[in-house]
Amino acid sequence: MIFNIVFLSVATVWTFAFAHKFRQLRAHHGSPRLLVMCAAVFFPAVATWLAVPATQQVINRVTGWPNVSILLVASHFTAISASWLTLGLFVRHSADMAWKWARWVIAAYALDIVAMAVLFSLSNVPVERVHNDFAVTYVPHQLTVFAFYMVYLLPAAAGTLILAYWCLTWAKMDDYAQFPRLRRRLRLLGLAGASLNVYMVLMVVNVIAVRFDLYDSGPQIKALALTVPTVSALSLFSAAVGTSSLRAWLSRWRDFFTLRYLHRALRPVSPGSVMVINRQRLDPYHRVRRIVIELNDWRLILKPLFDPAVYGAADRWGRESGLTGERLTAAVEAAQLRAALRAWQRGERSLESAEAHPDDEQILDASSIEAEVDWWLRVARAYKRATERSSLSGGVIRPHRPVPLSSGEEGGG
């Protein structure tokens, strides 16, 4: 069970990295470096999905070939070494120079995969085994299985070691002094290669120990299988996405979950206007942009229900609580939206006493999408805090009898 959870988690990280780079590749399809970077995250993604024990069992049963999943995992780990070495060449050299060396790297590792397939087909492995259990079961008794592991692990270990040496050495060179981001990515790529190299080397030690009945290092290898690939995944993920892009991406998801509370609360105003493009469902920038658009639309629908009494009471209590500027405006807006939504749910569509306020121009005519997001984040926080406080106190919002907002309710806005 633990192997399923860990490998699924690592596979998810790789898959997000590939989706991010593939989006960039579609926009810049002529970039060889982006193509190589996509390959460098694609093969780890597939390899870790295949390494999930549950996935291996499904593959073996569907194909009717016991343990063929072991060959698939080994082939993709070999492809990882080839793609990472190629990526290192493209980071350091021009595209033309990198391709000259990369062709030899790809050819060598392609031959290595062919050799693994030949050795695997010559082996007699009728009983299904996954992960280290396959080596423990068949390596001691079949030379072809032992050779399969050596052909698989030694070139992969050599490739990751070379990558780590290249990247960590290049990162120290003076010609990268004025490119701190590239230097940081080289270090991350070197760390990914070094950590995966540790895993490969210890796998080699384990297979040799099993072959010659020296000792059983299986528990140690299993423990490393839960940690080392994770470090490699996070390192290359950070190098592929870029730390600044990663922070922005995570920040936008945080904005999405903050806005979603207010979005769900106001959704009954016009549920049919909610729209998410399927292929951009996992794009936080698209999701936040759609939420802001819909919140602005719903606010316009609710605006005829904005009550001056609610505005005045909320503004007075906010000032008495020490709120000023945008914090005060957001708190007042949250109170207006809550009261207007309750009136809408009772069937009202306008108030004779409704009137505009100067703050409307600030809200409806934001200078940029970022300014609108920032504004609605303040309102969403104030709305959630006020709603939670009202729920605890049993308060009911009525258009002409607003619930006062205390300083603690808008403090997060």
Side-chain angles (χ1 to χ4, degrees):
M1 177 61 70
I2 187 67
F3 269 88
N4 283 320
I5 295 173
V6 172
F7 276 102
L8 281 172
S9 301
V10 176
T12 302
V13 172
W14 286 120
T15 303
F16 271 115
F18 175 71
H20 178 81
K21 299 312 292 185
F22 186 70
R23 267 187 61 204
Q24 294 182 351
L25 182 64
R26 291 178 62 187
H28 308 280
H29 58 275
S31 172
R33 284 186 176 86
L34 271 178
L35 178 62
V36 173
M37 177 59 83
C38 282
V41 291
F42 170 78
F43 288 115
V46 177
T48 45
W49 282 113
L50 293 174
V52 177
T55 305
Q56 293 187 10
Q57 293 172 352
V58 170
I59 292 173
N60 294 334
R61 289 168 188 157
V62 169
T63 61
W65 189 357
N67 300 304
V68 70
S69 58
I70 299 295
L71 175 61
L72 293 176
V73 172
S75 299
H76 280 83
F77 268 100
T78 302
I80 290 173
S81 298
S83 61
W84 287 14
L85 280 174
T86 303
L87 176 61
L89 291 170
F90 271 87
V91 169
R92 175 61 180 172
H93 303 290
S94 65
D96 292 339
M97 179 64 70
W99 271 125
K100 291 180 181 179
W101 291 98
R103 283 196 292 264
W104 290 101
V105 171
I106 295 171
Y109 279 94
L111 289 174
D112 187 52
I113 293 175
V114 172
M116 284 192 300
V118 171
L119 289 168
F120 189 86
S121 63
L122 294 175
S123 303
N124 182 25
V125 288
V127 180
E128 183 184 58
R129 293 289 186 268
V130 295
H131 282 299
N132 197 55
D133 293 339
F134 181 82
V136 172
T137 302
Y138 293 111
V139 165
H141 311 294
Q142 294 192 52
L143 183 60
T144 52
V145 177
F146 177 70
F148 163 80
Y149 269 104
M150 293 299 102
V151 170
Y152 153 40
L153 293 172
L154 289 177
T160 52
L161 180 62
I162 292 171
L163 175 72
Y165 175 77
W166 277 356
C167 293
L168 296 178
T169 300
W170 294 339
K172 297 177 182 177
M173 292 184 174
D174 293 337
D175 50 352
Y176 286 103
Q178 297 184 7
F179 302 97
R181 290 186 179 179
L182 184 55
R183 175 173 280 182
R184 185 162 52 247
R185 290 191 177 192
L186 281 171
R187 291 194 183 112
L188 288 168
L189 187 55
L191 177 61
S195 57
L196 195 58
N197 178 258
V198 170
Y199 177 70
M200 292 296 181
V201 169
L202 287 172
M203 282 291 292
V204 171
V205 173
N206 181 64
V207 171
I208 293 174
V210 169
R211 173 63 184 176
F212 297 102
D213 197 24
L214 298 177
Y215 62 92
D216 181 12
S217 60
Q220 293 89 332
I221 295 299
K222 288 181 179 180
L224 283 163
L226 303 180
T227 56
V228 177
T230 305
V231 174
S232 302
L234 293 174
S235 299
L236 190 61
F237 177 74
S238 299
V241 176
T243 52
S244 59
S245 298
L246 178 59
R247 284 195 299 268
W249 184 79
L250 292 174
S251 176
R252 191 56 89 191
W253 273 118
R254 186 168 60 249
D255 295 343
F256 166 76
F257 286 110
T258 300
L259 292 171
R260 188 171 64 164
Y261 183 89
L262 178 60
H263 185 264
R264 287 183 171 180
L266 300 185
R267 183 171 181 165
V269 174
S270 180
S273 64
V274 177
M275 184 192 74
V276 178
I277 300 175
N278 285 333
R279 67 175 182 272
Q280 293 184 307
R281 189 168 293 276
L282 297 179
D283 181 356
Y285 300 96
H286 167 71
R287 300 298 298 275
V288 169
R289 186 166 57 249
R290 283 301 313 171
I291 283 181
V292 168
I293 292 172
E294 289 155 13
L295 287 176
N296 282 331
D297 291 343
W298 296 340
R299 183 187 184 277
L300 289 175
I301 294 174
L302 292 175
K303 185 179 176 182
L305 292 169
F306 280 14
D307 192 337
V310 174
Y311 180 95
D315 182 74
R316 182 175 60 256
W317 277 91
R319 292 180 187 278
E320 291 176 357
S321 301
L323 297 180
T324 58
E326 290 185 346
R327 293 178 62 193
L328 175 61
T329 309
V332 172
E333 178 72 11
Q336 288 275 54
L337 288 171
R338 293 178 66 220
L341 178 63
R342 290 297 180 89
W344 175 276
Q345 291 173 331
R346 290 196 300 271
E348 299 179 40
R349 291 299 178 264
S350 65
L351 296 176
E352 294 182 0
S353 58
E355 61 183 38
H357 295 284
D359 296 325
D360 289 348
E361 297 301 319
Q362 174 189 347
I363 298 168
L364 299 178
D365 296 329
S367 58
S368 67
I369 183 65
E370 292 301 324
E372 288 191 80
V373 170
D374 183 66
W375 162 252
W376 281 112
L377 285 171
R378 292 176 182 275
V379 175
R381 294 188 187 105
Y383 190 99
K384 183 176 182 180
R385 288 172 182 260
T387 302
E388 290 173 349
R389 179 64 61 86
S390 177
S391 176
L392 289 173
S393 63
V396 178
I397 304 294
R398 299 183 186 278
H400 294 280
R401 298 186 61 186
V403 173
L405 300 177
S406 67
S407 59
E409 293 171 5
E410 305 91 6

